[in-house]
């Protein structure tokens, strides 16, 4: 065996060790998840990830392959988050609620901690139509837009382990709720009219609030939708005066409680 063949053998041996270690690591991730569930420990513990990142950074501070190793660990962390997400939620999570209730913020955070795909319905419809929501309403009408929402939700029945951030009017159609619940849970995010106004007042792409950017109108519109929202919801989480971490902790806890009841 010449030197080149020897080096290749060494490389293959390293690859095998990496596979074994990754398998061990991912099994430990599942053990941690099981332990947390068994003893009622919060699923979300961001400080643990920060401690782990610091240990790795200290370990490779002066390593000649620092950047390459860091890149690999980012992928390992992403895969670990995906494993956690799939273990917790083998279904889609649909976020409903009034505009400004926090759907996009919560979806982004769930993506960051579980690497779950995000389906931003309004954004996806805008990309497909090459128009903003306001332009769709103005040029093609609200009914056309609502039909696009329904079509998209039917498409989502073939997906799982995704976060679907629904437009504010999605829950107004019973067929939308039926489509979501074929393979998903519905989480209603709520907030006071004052909180809603503070969150959307500088956003000009809210056709239903055009010319009515005030607490009184928002409250009136919310009251007309609330019965449908609550009837559709599997879980309700109020977002007033809470951090996104607190909101997601409550959301996860309530979904897991629901899953346990269904067993």
């Amino acid at each position: 065996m010449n030197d080149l063949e020897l080096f290749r053998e060494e490389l293959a041996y390293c690859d095998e060790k990496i596979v074994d270690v990754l398998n061990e690591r991912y099994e430990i991730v599942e053990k941690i998840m099981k332990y947390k569930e068994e003893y009622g420990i919060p699923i979300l513990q961001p400080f643990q990830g920060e401690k782990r990142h610091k240990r790795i950074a200290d370990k490779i501070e002066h390593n000649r392959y620092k950047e390459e190793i860091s890149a690999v660990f980012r992928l390992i962390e992403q895969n670990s988050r995906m494993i956690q997400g799939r273990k917790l939620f083998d279904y889609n999570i649909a976020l409903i609620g009034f505009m400004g209730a926090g759907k996009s913020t919560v979806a982004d955070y769930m993506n960051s901690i579980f690497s779950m795909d995000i389906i931003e319905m309004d954004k996806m419809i805008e990309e497909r139509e090459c128009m903003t929501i306001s332009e769709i309403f103005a040029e093609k009408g609200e009914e056309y837009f609502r039909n696009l929402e329904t079509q998209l939700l039917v498409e989502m029945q073939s997906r799982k382990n995704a976060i679907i951030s629904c437009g504010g009017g999605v829950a107004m159609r019973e067929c939308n709720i039926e489509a979501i619940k074929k393979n998903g849970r519905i989480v209603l995010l709520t907030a006071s009219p004052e909180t809603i106004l503070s969150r959307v007042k500088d956003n000009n792409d809210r056709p239903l609030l055009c010319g009515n950017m005030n607490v009184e109108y928002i409250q009136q519109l919310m009251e007309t939708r609330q019965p449908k929202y609550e009837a559709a919801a599997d879980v309700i989480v109020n977002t007033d005066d809470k951090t996104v971490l607190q909101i997601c902790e409550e959301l996860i806890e309530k979904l897991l409680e629901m899953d346990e009841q269904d067993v």
Side-chain angles (χ1 to χ4, degrees):
M1 181 181 293
N2 60 38
D3 287 346
L4 181 57
E5 291 175 340
L6 179 61
F7 295 151
R8 285 171 174 164
E9 285 293 323
E10 291 176 346
L11 190 61
Y13 178 65
C14 285
D15 290 342
E16 291 176 0
K17 287 199 296 183
I18 290 171
V19 170
D20 290 340
V21 170
L22 285 176
N23 189 64
E24 181 180 0
R25 188 187 198 282
Y26 295 145
E27 287 180 349
I28 292 172
V29 168
E30 292 190 339
K31 289 178 182 178
I32 290 173
M33 295 294 293
K34 184 177 181 180
Y35 187 92
K36 286 180 176 179
E37 291 178 32
E38 184 176 352
Y39 290 96
I41 298 172
I43 298 295
L44 305 184
Q45 295 181 304
F47 64 91
Q48 292 292 349
E50 293 168 4
K51 285 169 58 178
R52 192 163 55 250
H53 294 160
K54 186 178 186 309
R55 283 200 303 270
I56 294 170
D58 291 342
K59 175 75 173 177
I60 65 175
E61 177 61 31
H62 302 294
N63 193 297
R64 61 186 293 194
Y65 304 115
K66 176 180 177 180
E67 295 301 320
E68 292 80 3
I69 293 172
S70 294
V72 169
F73 265 98
R74 285 194 292 271
L75 289 174
I76 291 173
E77 285 285 340
Q78 182 180 9
N79 288 337
S80 295
R81 292 193 294 269
M82 289 173 63
I83 289 170
Q84 293 179 66
R86 287 198 300 263
K87 181 174 175 59
L88 287 171
F89 313 114
D90 62 350
Y91 49 81
N92 294 330
I93 299 174
L95 304 176
I96 67 170
F98 201 77
M99 61 188 80
K103 299 185 294 291
S104 295
T105 301
V106 169
D108 287 341
Y109 194 79
M110 292 291 283
N111 169 262
S112 72
I113 56 178
F114 294 128
S115 292
M116 299 173 72
D117 291 337
I118 299 179
I119 309 299
E120 282 275 5
M121 291 188 63
D122 284 354
K123 182 178 180 181
M124 185 170 289
I125 289 172
E126 286 181 335
E127 290 174 351
R128 290 181 175 185
E129 295 292 305
C130 299
M131 303 169 70
T132 66
I133 302 300
S134 295
E135 289 170 341
I136 295 173
F137 267 64
E139 296 184 26
K140 298 187 177 183
E142 182 176 354
E143 184 70 11
Y144 178 84
F145 173 74
R146 298 305 176 195
N147 289 336
L148 293 177
E149 289 183 318
T150 299
Q151 292 169 18
L152 180 54
L153 288 171
V154 171
E155 289 180 35
M156 292 303 104
Q157 292 175 8
S158 63
R159 301 281 296 271
K160 66 177 183 178
N161 194 233
I163 298 288
I164 304 174
S165 180
C166 300
V170 162
M172 297 300 102
R173 281 188 172 187
E174 186 63 33
C175 60
N176 290 343
I177 302 306
E178 293 175 359
I180 294 171
K181 291 198 174 185
K182 285 187 181 295
N183 67 334
R185 306 281 200 203
I186 297 179
V187 176
L188 169 61
L189 300 180
T190 66
S192 69
E194 291 78 11
T195 297
I196 296 295
L197 179 60
S198 70
R199 292 173 179 172
V200 305
K201 63 183 179 181
D202 297 322
N203 189 327
N204 296 320
D205 194 25
R206 304 286 185 176
L208 291 180
L209 295 183
C210 183
N212 294 290
M213 196 68 76
N214 58 75
V215 169
E216 292 74 20
Y217 182 78
I218 291 174
Q219 182 171 1
Q220 179 183 348
L221 191 54
M222 289 176 69
E223 287 175 352
T224 64
R225 291 184 171 186
Q226 202 64 20
K228 289 279 191 178
Y229 282 162
E230 292 180 357
D234 295 306
V235 166
I236 300 176
V237 179
N238 181 271
T239 66
D240 284 323
D241 303 317
K242 295 177 184 173
T243 66
V244 66
L245 173 59
Q246 291 171 326
I247 295 167
C248 289
E249 284 177 335
E250 183 176 343
L251 180 158
I252 292 168
E253 181 181 353
K254 289 184 175 180
L255 284 176
L256 293 181
E257 287 176 356
M258 183 178 177
D259 292 341
E260 288 176 3
Q261 293 170 3
D262 289 346
V263 173

